[in-house]
Amino acid sequence: MTILHFDSSINGENSASRAISARVVEQVQSLNWGEQVVYRDLAADPLAHLTLDAFADTSVLDEFLAADTIVIGAPMYNFTLSTQLKAWIDRILIAGKTFRYTENGPEGLAGERRVIIALARGGIYDVGSPAAALEHLESYLRGIFNFIGIEPEFVAADGLAISPEVRETAIAQALGETVRLAA
Ligand SMILES: Cc1cc2nc3c(=O)[nH]c(=O)nc-3n(C[C@H](O)[C@H](O)[C@H](O)COP(=O)(O)O)c2cc1C
């Protein structure tokens, strides 16, 4: 049983997504005592951009397939995910391994894994809000994990750039929400 934990924020100790993803891992570990955690900091130790040659190295895919639970810290940069996290996704969406095309359409092959994503966004993107159409982080991550057969769970801290007070409240709320993951 392995928890695979990723962070991808460039903000180091001041990162909200790092604080929340760490709390998620704590909560998941409290459910599964003794579970091994493998940690990858995609900002400190980035994967290279995808190349054809990179497909020959399946180590990132193999690590993903070996995990039962994947916890991801995902900050919003320019309305979507960090390029560091995208480089990881480029290595796990592999035809014949995590999805395949059938006569009835695409089929996910990577189900039976739990994926929990800690989102941190400077603005507010709720349905009906002025910036809703620019939300390409949660929607993208939900889409790609659904595509490979996984329904991801999200914990979000939003409006972090609005004011220090909103930031503090939003992070506290998200940290509190991680408790429901252990319910
Ligand atoms: C380079 C950069 C781009 C950002 N772009 C957006 C954006 O498009 N929309 C948004 O709501 N917040 C944006 N933000 C704010 C971050 O989403 C916010 O600071 C969040 O806390 C980042 O997560 P972190 O604290 O884990 O680093 C941006 C921040 C940075 C540093």
Side-chain angles (χ1 to χ4, degrees):
M1 301 284 280
T2 303
I3 301 171
L4 191 49
H5 177 194
F6 293 98
D7 278 319
S8 57
S9 165
I10 60 173
N11 275 325
E13 286 181 1
N14 295 321
S15 158
S17 63
R18 285 174 185 270
I20 301 162
S21 74
R23 186 68 66 85
V24 170
V25 170
E26 274 174 36
Q27 294 293 346
V28 174
Q29 270 191 305
S30 72
L31 276 179
N32 306 283
W33 193 81
E35 197 152 18
Q36 188 201 353
V37 179
V38 175
Y39 180 67
R40 304 280 177 227
D41 187 334
L42 296 171
D45 195 9
L47 294 164
H49 285 297
L50 192 62
T51 60
L52 267 186
D53 288 345
F55 284 114
D57 176 4
T58 62
S59 57
V60 174
L61 174 67
D62 293 343
E63 185 175 65
F64 168 70
L65 292 174
D68 309 289
T69 304
I70 297 94
V71 177
I72 301 171
M76 176 181 270
Y77 295 150
N78 301 316
F79 307 109
T80 188
L81 70 170
S82 66
T83 55
Q84 291 90 339
L85 183 55
K86 178 63 165 52
W88 178 75
I89 288 168
D90 287 340
R91 284 161 174 82
I92 65 155
L93 261 67
I94 306 294
K97 298 286 185 186
T98 50
F99 70 91
R100 68 180 165 202
Y101 292 110
T102 72
E103 286 178 359
N104 301 320
E107 182 188 354
L109 302 175
E112 298 177 16
R113 276 174 195 77
R114 193 172 183 200
V115 171
I116 306 168
I117 303 173
L119 301 173
R121 294 176 283 214
I124 303 278
Y125 299 90
D126 295 347
V127 175
S129 65
L134 288 169
E135 206 299 311
H136 304 295
L137 175 63
E138 179 174 351
S139 55
Y140 175 79
L141 292 170
R142 188 186 303 282
I144 62 106
F145 281 112
N146 283 174
F147 188 75
I148 62 172
I150 298 169
E151 190 62 55
E153 299 161 65
F154 292 95
V155 182
D158 287 327
L160 302 183
I162 293 174
S163 71
E165 294 75 21
V166 172
R167 177 183 166 85
E168 196 179 327
T169 306
I171 293 173
Q173 197 174 339
L175 290 172
E177 256 190 68
T178 63
V179 175
R180 83 179 149 81
L181 297 168

